[in-house]
């Protein structure tokens, strides 16, 4: 049994959470430490060597969707943790939901013309920061379920701690109406130990077309400029 480490307790755990994966890194660790935490929020003890400057990231995941992937429901990051020999340091934090920080994508676009997608996302659990993360936009002219739109190649860049900008380019639909779009990312970093589950991050999270009409980001598509 570990003799030093972190006593982790989380609050504001999102409804529908089936699994919480936590990663401890920095602080001189040569490799991150990973474990699963109690979804009830009760204390989970993690063995961590004495030291300082540790960071804990935890992500709440849904039950498996379609039998093979989980959705990110929330997260939290706790920084500057220190562990003393023979003791367990309390690490407590409240989870929050990933959300849009700012959206620089035009609210109105012309049919057929190129659209520069630029959304800055608040990622409280740092799910999208890893080198093994695959960022994408999905777009469509009608509301869609998670990742059921057209794939758009996307670049992710760090703005500040827990805040990331996603940029890409697509073409507006041929006819006036709406352009719906969604920020997504897939990462293997937050797979629970001993599993091969995929985890996906969606902002906004639109689990079905019933909510997609209001939850998805959208731009109004106007008639094409004459001559285009």
């Amino acid at each position: 049994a570990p003799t030093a480490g972190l006593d982790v307790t989380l609050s504001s755990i999102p409804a529908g959470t089936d699994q919480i994966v936590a990663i401890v890194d920095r602080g001189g660790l040569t490799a991150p430490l990973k474990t699963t935490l109690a979804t009830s929020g009760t204390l989970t003890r993690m063995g961590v060597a004495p030291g300082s400057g540790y960071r804990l990231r935890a992500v709440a995941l849904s039950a498996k969707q379609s039998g093979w992937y989980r959705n990110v429901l929330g997260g939290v990051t706790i920084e500057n943790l220190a562990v003393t020999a023979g003791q367990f340091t309390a690490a407590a934090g409240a989870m929050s939901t990933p959300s849009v920080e700012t959206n620089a994508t035009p609210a109105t676009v012309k049919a057929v013309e190129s659209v520069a997608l630029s959304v800055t996302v608040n990622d409280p659990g740092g799910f999208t920061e890893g080198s093994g993360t695959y960022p994408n936009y999905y777009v469509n002219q009608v509301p869609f379920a998670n990742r059921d739109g057209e794939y758009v190649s996307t670049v992710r860049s760090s703005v500040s701690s827990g805040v990331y900008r996603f940029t890409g380019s697509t073409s507006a639909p041929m006819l006036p109406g709406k352009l719906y779009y969604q920020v997504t990312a897939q990462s293997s970093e937050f797979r629970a130990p001993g599993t091969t589950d995929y985890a996906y991050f969606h902002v906004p999270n639109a689990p079905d077309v019933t909510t997609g009409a209001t939850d998805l980001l959208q731009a109004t598509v106007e008639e094409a400029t004459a001559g285009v």
Side-chain angles (χ1 to χ4, degrees), residues 21-72:
V21 177
I23 295 174
V24 175
D25 58 9
R26 299 181 180 173
L29 288 172
T30 56
L33 305 175
K34 185 189 297 187
T35 191
T36 54
L37 304 179
T39 58
S40 62
T42 56
L43 184 147
T44 301
R45 178 158 283 184
M46 291 184 68
V48 180
S52 61
Y54 292 118
R55 177 182 68 165
L56 181 142
R57 290 176 293 150
V59 168
L61 301 170
S62 71
K64 288 185 183 180
Q65 308 293 300
S66 303
W68 64 277
Y69 73 90
R70 297 176 183 271
N71 287 332
V72 175

Side-chain angles (χ1 to χ4, degrees), residues 99-143:
S99 60
V100 173
E101 186 90 354
T102 58
N103 187 355
T105 305
T108 303
V109 299
K110 296 291 186 181
V112 185
E113 293 185 2
S114 178
V115 180
L117 302 169
S118 179
V119 177
T120 301
V121 169
N122 175 33
D123 176 9
F127 178 85
T128 63
E129 83 162 43
S131 59
T133 300
Y134 300 95
N136 299 306
Y137 275 101
Y138 283 86
V139 302
N140 208 330
Q141 61 188 11
V142 295

Side-chain angles (χ1 to χ4, degrees), residues 159-178:
V159 176
S160 60
S161 179
V163 180
Y164 304 91
R165 181 174 295 115
F166 292 73
T167 56
S169 180
T170 189
S171 295
M174 296 180 63
L175 299 175
K178 293 286 187 180

Side-chain angles (χ1 to χ4, degrees), residues 147-227:
R147 305 190 317 284
D148 274 353
E150 177 185 350
Y151 163 88
V152 174
S153 181
T154 304
V155 174
R156 177 212 62 213
S157 57
S158 177
V159 176
S160 60
S161 179
V163 180
Y164 304 91
R165 181 174 295 115
F166 292 73
T167 56
S169 180
T170 189
S171 295
M174 296 180 63
L175 299 175
K178 293 286 187 180
L179 172 67
Y180 295 93
Y181 56 103
Q182 176 189 53
V183 177
T184 76
Q186 185 268 322
S187 175
S188 59
E189 186 179 23
F190 279 90
R191 285 178 178 168
T195 74
T196 57
D197 298 347
Y198 285 87
Y200 281 93
F201 175 95
H202 309 91
V203 176
N205 185 20
D208 57 55
V209 294
T210 303
T211 60
T214 53
D215 289 354
L216 292 168
L217 301 171
Q218 55 188 278
T220 298
V221 181
E222 297 181 339
E223 290 186 11
T225 303

